[in-house]
């Protein structure tokens, strides 16, 4: 589907500079942060707790795709971001920070003073796990790894700080109506005579009867999520799924207090292209089911999309990035479910020892098999090949 761009629309008004996501404590003046797992803000200096009221989920607004592609109908904001020179991540930082470490690759960087204008998030899934719980999940995962260096888990347990990052995603809704043409294949059998070992044998041979088929399939896609970040390997973020998007809350800066938010690097149009490819794969599966039979051939699918809308949402991820023996490794933990995925080093010595052990076991098994084949194992008791030395006793 080609989504036309509306031209000539007025440019959005200038957005003021980024507001700091800082919320002073009414008790001591320190910075309060969002407390994962609860609708509240907490002050780490004096322990003061303040309730955080959420807006109704009904306030989350779907945006027409044409308005988003044109940017004239989508609300935008301007944020100050850090651009990592190593992995290219663009992470929001407040103006009080002048130097930091990239949460995605552990590269020391100095923040720039640039700003980034982008479509404002419509909603987010608040962090449900605190750092200690995410760290425990990561350590359990590290402990389950085979052939990991002995010092890896010990290194990770040295109190290495994890960063809570809201990772950007696009979600897409669309109503699809697809007309298709193809063929249905039904299996039937015919009896034929074939020669086997010089003798005629009657066998059942499968054949396919193809019948032309046309029809329509319809499907509504609701909140198809597309990763809008390029900072983490997609195979890792895909492995964090599924996300419970029923927990989406209308975007509010209080949820970001104490955390970071990554700016999206996959533009809306590119996200729509990926979503369309995923929709097409699902539609093709629906068409095969509608054709039925034992096999299917699809000649054509003509899909029309309507009511295409999107949202820019933020999903919670705990990130641990560290260097081990000169190499960078990253772990990610789903801040909602605790699912862990990541990169890991391998111990060459452990792999070598495992190979040697396997060869020894194979050699012993081969020796026992050879002895048994040579008649050295008796059925009346245990015996081994005779000859030389003191010999072997057997009953």
């Amino acid at each position: 589907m080609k989504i036309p761009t509306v031209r000539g629309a007025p440019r959005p008004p200038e957005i003021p500079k980024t507001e700091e996501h800082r919320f002073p404590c009414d008790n001591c003046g320190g910075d309060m942060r969002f407390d994962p797992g609860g609708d509240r803000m907490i002050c780490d200096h004096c322990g003061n707790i303040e309730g955080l009221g959420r807006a109704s989920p009904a306030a989350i607004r779907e945006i027409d795709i044409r308005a988003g592609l044109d940017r004239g109908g989508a609300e935008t904001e301007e944020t100050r971001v850090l651009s990592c020179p190593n992995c290219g991540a663009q992470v929001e930082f407040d103006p009080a920070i002048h130097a930091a470490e990239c949460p995605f690759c552990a590269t020391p960087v100095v923040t720039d003073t640039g700003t980034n204008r982008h479509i404002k998030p419509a909603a987010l899934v608040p962090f449900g796990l605190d750092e200690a719980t995410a760290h425990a999940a990561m350590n359990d995962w590290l402990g389950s790894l085979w052939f990991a260096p002995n010092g890896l888990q010990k290194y990770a347990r040295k109190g290495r700080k994890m960063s809570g990052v809201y990772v950007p995603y696009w979600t897409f809704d669309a109503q699809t109506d697809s007309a298709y043409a193809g063929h249905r294949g039904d299996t039937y059998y015919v009896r034929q005579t074939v020669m086997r070992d010089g003798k005629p044998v009657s066998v059942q041979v499968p054949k396919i009867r193809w019948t032309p088929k046309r029809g329509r399939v319809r499907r509504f896609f609701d909140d198809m999520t597309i990763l809008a970040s390029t900072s983490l390997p997609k195979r890792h973020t895909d492995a964090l799924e599924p996300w419970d998007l029923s927990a989406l809350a209308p975007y509010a800066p209080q949820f970001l207090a104490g955390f970071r938010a990554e700016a999206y690097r996959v533009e809306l149009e590119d996200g729509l292209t990926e979503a369309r490819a995923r929709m097409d794969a699902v539609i093709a599966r629906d068409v095969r089911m509608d054709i039925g039979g034992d096999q299917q051939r699809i000649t054509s699918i003509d899909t029309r999309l309507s009511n295409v809308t999107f949202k820019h949402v933020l999903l919670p991820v705990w990130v641990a990035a560290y260097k081990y023996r000169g190499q960078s490794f990253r772990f990610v933990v789903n801040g909602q479910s605790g699912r862990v995925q990541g990169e890991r080093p391998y111990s060459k010595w452990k792999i070598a020892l495992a190979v040697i052990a396997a060869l020894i076991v194979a050699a012993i098994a081969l020796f026992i098999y050879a002895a048994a084949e040579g008649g050295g194992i008796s059925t009346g008791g245990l015996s081994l090949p005779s000859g030389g030395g003191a010999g072997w006793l057997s009953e």
Side-chain angles (χ1 to χ4, degrees):
M1 180 190 69
K2 179 71 174 177
I3 300 292
T5 299
V6 180
R7 302 185 182 279
R11 295 182 59 185
E14 292 295 323
I15 306 296
K17 296 298 181 182
T18 308
E19 295 182 4
E20 299 181 34
H21 297 312
R22 304 178 69 181
F23 301 89
C25 173
D26 292 337
N27 189 39
C28 70
D31 289 335
M32 302 195 75
R33 62 172 177 82
F34 174 69
D35 184 26
D39 290 338
R40 64 182 190 176
M41 306 282 287
I42 188 169
C43 177
D44 290 328
H45 295 280
C46 69
N48 183 35
I49 295 175
E50 295 182 7
L52 174 63
R54 294 196 192 188
S56 169
I60 301 175
R61 184 172 67 94
E62 297 282 347
I63 304 172
D64 183 85
I65 191 64
R66 292 176 177 81
L69 293 175
D70 182 63
R71 295 286 184 94
E75 186 179 0
T76 60
E77 67 175 358
E78 192 172 85
T79 56
R80 179 173 177 267
V81 296
L82 169 150
S83 296
C84 176
N86 182 42
C87 70
Q90 292 187 340
V91 182
E92 180 180 341
F93 283 86
D94 67 67
I97 298 177
H98 300 289
E101 185 179 82
C102 177
F104 293 103
C105 67
T107 299
V109 292
V110 176
T111 62
D112 57 27
T113 56
T115 56
N116 178 56
R117 176 173 293 180
H118 54 207
I119 296 174
K120 185 176 180 179
L124 54 77
V125 172
F127 274 86
L129 305 178
D130 60 17
E131 183 179 355
T133 304
H135 220 298
M138 183 187 73
N139 286 336
D140 289 343
W141 184 79
L142 287 173
S144 67
L145 298 178
W146 286 69
F147 304 123
N150 290 330
L152 175 61
Q153 195 170 30
K154 181 179 179 181
Y155 183 91
R157 283 178 173 172
K158 287 182 177 178
R160 185 72 185 176
K161 182 175 176 58
M162 301 186 75
S163 298
V165 181
Y166 283 101
V167 176
Y169 281 77
W170 300 113
T171 72
F172 294 96
D173 291 1
Q175 179 66 55
T176 63
D177 185 348
S178 305
Y180 69 84
H183 292 81
R184 169 182 173 136
D186 294 295
T187 303
Y188 67 98
Y189 293 87
V190 297
R191 185 169 293 279
Q192 294 182 354
T193 300
V194 298
M195 300 299 293
R196 290 181 179 173
D197 298 327
K199 298 180 180 179
V201 178
S202 180
V203 296
Q204 294 271 42
V205 178
K207 301 286 185 179
I208 300 294
R209 180 181 295 107
W210 293 101
T211 306
K213 181 83 172 181
R214 292 180 178 273
R216 307 185 79 90
V217 294
R218 297 176 177 83
R219 175 180 283 270
F220 177 70
F221 291 91
D222 182 30
D223 280 344
M224 174 175 282
T225 57
I226 301 296
L227 178 67
S229 167
T230 58
S231 305
L232 291 170
K234 197 172 186 302
R235 65 183 184 278
H236 292 168
T237 52
D238 286 349
L240 295 182
E241 297 180 356
W243 296 94
D244 180 11
L245 296 186
S246 66
L248 280 172
Y251 174 82
Q254 288 88 341
F255 290 113
L256 273 60
F259 298 92
R260 298 172 180 175
E262 183 187 6
Y264 62 79
R265 300 191 67 204
V266 175
E267 294 296 330
L268 178 61
E269 186 173 4
D270 296 327
L272 178 61
T273 299
E274 182 179 346
R276 178 61 197 272
R278 288 175 54 182
M279 291 178 188
D280 286 344
V282 175
I283 292 170
R285 184 190 65 191
D286 290 347
V287 167
R288 292 185 183 278
M289 292 181 64
D290 197 63
I291 290 176
D294 300 304
Q295 297 184 34
Q296 305 83 31
R297 290 175 178 170
I298 300 176
T299 305
S300 64
I301 301 178
D302 181 17
T303 299
R304 294 186 178 183
L305 277 70
S306 59
N307 301 322
V308 183
T309 60
F310 80 97
K311 296 188 301 293
H312 170 28
V313 302
L314 303 176
L315 301 181
V317 176
W318 285 103
V319 180
Y322 67 95
K323 292 185 180 294
Y324 182 80
R325 293 186 177 180
Q327 288 186 307
S328 294
F329 298 92
R330 293 170 291 185
F331 299 126
V332 289
V333 181
N334 183 317
Q336 183 184 42
S337 67
R339 187 184 296 265
V340 183
Q341 192 57 236
E343 301 166 337
R344 45 78 53 88
Y346 289 86
S347 171
K348 295 180 180 179
W349 287 106
K350 286 187 177 182
I351 295 175
L353 290 174
V355 172
I356 293 172
L359 291 175
I360 292 174
V361 171
I364 293 174
L366 182 62
F367 174 79
I368 295 174
Y369 175 78
E373 288 294 310
I377 295 182
S378 122
T379 58
L382 175 64
S383 68
L384 291 173
S386 61
W392 297 90
L393 296 177
S394 63
E395 294 182 347

